[in-house]
Amino acid sequence: MHSIAVFSTQPYDSESLTHWGAGQFNWQFVSQKLDTVTASQAAGSNAVCVFVNDDLSKPVLDALAALGIKTIVLRCAGYNNVDVAYAKQLGFQLARVPAYSPEAVAEHCIAMILCLSRKLHKAYNRVRDDNFSLNGLLGFNLHGKTVGIIGTGRIGITTAKILSGFGCNVLCVDPQPQPQLPSDSCRYVELAELYQQADIVSLHCPLTPETFHMINQQSLAQMKTGVMLINTSRGGLIDTKAVIEGLKSKRISYLGLDVYEQEADLFFKDLSDHVIADEVFQRLLTFPNVLITGHQAFFTAEALAQIGQITCQNLHALLNNQACANCL
Ligand code: NAI
């Protein structure tokens, strides 16, 4: 039976992979993230299974290659954490889970928009404190608002369709436009027009060298005063320090983040008994109009089931030299 080292394992990962790969694989669950130090824990395995914050840069790939490992499966869609070109040069076979429930992420994005627009994060605490005053909770209707969607792939298009149902006017930017976009409420525009017109800007493009820090001082300066910014894609799309300045100057009135550039040191862990040294992250938490979730958008029962199932299918195909549609 093939042995698989699973890095960054959480209890829900081991449960799901054990279920979907029952009788097929010998799982070695490792709770730490993969890096140059932990790579040795893959010794004796036939493949490694990794997640969003595992490090698959050149030195880590060298370490895995030295252990004789040739197969890497990602139990996620994004692969900005993998040096794909170098992995291929070393002869690795790589596969990912390209499409697990885009609805999970799109619905989380909508949840963040509604939570911020109706100040539910504040209302929840108030009512628990027997404070039923509405002062300071004034919201705004989504109906009639202009929403900018950057990246209309699987998640962006699903988000655009949901927002159309709310009666929003949706402006989209994507170098590869999609024909399935609802034409009555959504249209493609140039990025500059999106920034100028949108009341809400939501990011759904991958993190690449071109999109790194696309939300920065210059792009924020083009946006409407009072804009809502939502990022459920990857933290590196945003220059967080510029966004903090945008919050202080009130250019940004609402910020919803499910991802954060330095999240690898924070997210997916219980740090409630620790002192968090990341001062940029701590500053973000001081704003009353900032909502942060810890890379949770994918986390639905439906998405987890698809991730487990497709990861096991990818492993089965790659380790048995069969065709795999999800190869990178
Ligand atoms: P996808 O590959 O289906 O779509 C990405 C779209 O972005 C494509 O249409 C592409 O043409 C477009 N794009 C590329 N560069 C662009 C640019 N410079 N400007 C505008 N558009 C650009 O990907 P999918 O499945 O929709 O996922 C989007 C992102 O969401 C992923 O890259 C991943 O980083 C993130 N994600 C986050 C999750 C979470 O739990 N928070 C879970 C799953 C994905």
Side-chain angles (χ1 to χ4, degrees), residues 53-92:
N53 290 324
D54 288 306
D55 174 5
L56 289 134
S57 59
K58 285 191 175 97
V60 181
L61 291 166
D62 283 334
L64 293 177
L67 295 172
I69 291 165
K70 287 280 169 216
T71 303
I72 299 170
V73 292
L74 288 86
R75 51 184 195 282
C76 54
Y79 51 91
N80 52 283
N81 53 332
V82 186
D83 189 332
V84 175
Y86 190 65
K88 288 191 175 166
Q89 202 179 312
L90 291 180
F92 279 101

Side-chain angles (χ1 to χ4, degrees), residues 150-152 173-174 202-207 211 214 231 233-234 237:
I150 302 182
T152 53
V173 166
D174 196 306
S202 190
L203 307 176
H204 300 285
C205 56
L207 176 60
T211 61
M214 67 183 298
N231 187 8
S233 189
R234 283 293 180 267
L237 297 177

Side-chain angles (χ1 to χ4, degrees), residues 280-299:
V280 175
F281 188 77
Q282 292 300 78
R283 180 69 179 103
L284 277 178
L285 291 179
T286 64
F287 293 97
N289 49 356
V290 173
L291 176 69
I292 303 180
T293 51
H295 209 133
Q296 183 190 336
F298 76 99
F299 198 51

Side-chain angles (χ1 to χ4, degrees), residues 159-168 170 182 184-186:
T159 308
K161 285 179 182 169
I162 298 173
L163 289 165
S164 296
F166 274 95
C168 294
V170 184
D184 50 338
S185 50
C186 306

Side-chain angles (χ1 to χ4, degrees), residues 34-269:
L34 175 62
D35 56 26
T36 46
V37 177
T38 60
S40 60
Q41 297 201 46
S45 299
N46 303 97
V48 295
C49 174
V50 297
F51 196 50
V52 292
N53 290 324
D54 288 306
D55 174 5
L56 289 134
S57 59
K58 285 191 175 97
V60 181
L61 291 166
D62 283 334
L64 293 177
L67 295 172
I69 291 165
K70 287 280 169 216
T71 303
I72 299 170
V73 292
L74 288 86
R75 51 184 195 282
C76 54
Y79 51 91
N80 52 283
N81 53 332
V82 186
D83 189 332
V84 175
Y86 190 65
K88 288 191 175 166
Q89 202 179 312
L90 291 180
F92 279 101
Q93 3 176 46
L94 299 158
R96 64 174 177 145
V97 184
Y100 55 89
S101 186
E103 293 80 12
V105 183
E107 289 174 14
H108 191 81
C109 168
I110 302 297
M112 294 194 106
I113 293 174
L114 288 171
C115 183
L116 285 164
S117 69
R118 305 307 297 264
K119 300 189 168 67
L120 298 182
H121 55 306
K122 298 178 92 173
Y124 175 80
N125 287 324
R126 262 194 206 188
V127 170
R128 288 177 74 87
D129 204 23
D130 297 333
N131 175 356
F132 305 104
S133 162
L134 297 183
N135 292 325
L137 297 184
L138 188 66
F140 65 84
N141 288 3
L142 269 190
H143 183 89
K145 293 294 178 297
T146 298
V147 185
I149 300 283
I150 302 182
T152 53
R154 284 169 281 251
I155 296 169
I157 203 165
T158 307
T159 308
K161 285 179 182 169
I162 298 173
L163 289 165
S164 296
F166 274 95
C168 294
N169 168 33
V170 184
L171 303 181
C172 302
V173 166
D174 196 306
Q176 293 176 302
Q178 300 283 339
Q180 314 99 295
L181 215 57
S183 57
D184 50 338
S185 50
C186 306
R187 66 187 170 95
Y188 282 99
V189 295
E190 294 298 321
L191 194 54
E193 183 179 349
L194 183 150
Y195 286 151
Q196 283 156 21
Q197 301 292 329
D199 302 296
I200 299 169
V201 174
S202 190
L203 307 176
H204 300 285
C205 56
L207 176 60
T208 63
E210 293 74 44
T211 61
F212 175 74
H213 282 192
M214 67 183 298
I215 303 300
N216 54 34
Q217 196 185 358
Q218 290 74 33
S219 51
L220 286 169
Q222 296 175 56
M223 293 184 201
K224 280 187 176 176
T225 296
V227 70
M228 179 188 290
L229 179 64
I230 304 287
N231 187 8
T232 57
S233 189
R234 283 293 180 267
L237 297 177
I238 286 184
D239 175 350
T240 313
K241 287 185 179 158
V243 159
I244 287 173
E245 289 309 310
L247 285 159
K248 284 160 72 180
S249 71
K250 301 196 172 65
R251 171 75 60 180
I252 303 172
S253 284
Y254 310 85
L255 176 68
L257 300 179
D258 186 52
V259 286
Y260 169 62
E261 194 172 359
Q262 307 302 332
E263 69 177 49
D265 295 332
L266 301 171
F267 288 4
F268 307 117
K269 299 173 199 159

